[in-house]
Amino acid sequence: MPDYQAVSSGYEISKKIADILEDIDPIQYNGNNRARRVRNVNDYIQGRNDMPLEPLLDWAAKADSGAYAGRVAAVRQMLQAFQRQKSLLGRPYQLPHSFKSTYKYCLPERSDRAKVIDQETFDRAAQSGFPYGFFRHSFFDGVDLYCMPDGEDCSCSTFQNCSFVASRVHGAMFLHSCLYGCEFHSCDIQDTTFLGTTFANTHFRDCTLRKDSFLAASLKSCLTVDCMMEEIDFSHAALDSCTYRRIQAGDIRNLASAKITQGGATAEECAENRAAVFRAFGVRDQERPPAARKRPSAPER
């Protein structure tokens, strides 16, 4: 059985490396270029550039007579754990379902009560095999979900402040589920259905999304950055104040049927937000009229 575990994301590791560099040399490594530095380091961790990170960490470990060696060693351990976890994305979760099903419940007096899944419950299930129906009609609060069986039913569940890092999500069904304040980092999300799912303040970073459906899903204030998105269906989805940056997109479907808005913004700001979403996906907006050509000014008589 592979050693699945909760790990820090490449983005979080990149910020820790930036912290060390700024503490060592606050003049050269100042806040003015922090965002670019974090992005460059994360791009290296994700395999998008060949930045010489190891010599930089070697230098940091020796700086100030080794005063930062412990922090550098901790970052290297985090990097190794992240890479190990990411290497498991190509393998399905292997343990069979367990028959154990002892849970605490929200509102136990109600017939439609949801199972309460905390980190301890999740870790125990991941080590012994997830019980049947573990992910369905459940309430996950602040849980690191680092593995999931393929084809899992996550319908009618709520995920609040949860983290998915280097997690494989294949063939899952999030029917009428809710994801509030969640993070997806370096995840492989394929053939997954988010029918009628509600997303709020949920971010996708460094993920691969392929053959996924957001049919009638509602997304509010969600950020998607540095992701690959292919064969994604946005039929009748609602995208409110959502941002897409540095997306590698292909075969984005039914985006024109999505309601793209920006709560509290002017009509002009809403129109620009809609245009930005279409640009990010490389899709032409059929409802947006082409820019009128300017007529050459007539010569003065």
Side-chain angles (χ1 to χ4, degrees), residues 213-226:
S213 172
F214 290 84
L215 174 63
S218 174
L219 293 86
K220 168 71 174 176
S221 301
C222 295
L223 171 67
T224 304
V225 61
D226 289 325

Side-chain angles (χ1 to χ4, degrees), residues 223-237:
L223 171 67
T224 304
V225 61
D226 289 325
C227 290
M228 177 180 292
M229 304 181 69
E230 296 179 346
E231 299 183 49
I232 306 300
D233 187 3
F234 283 104
S235 292
H236 305 291

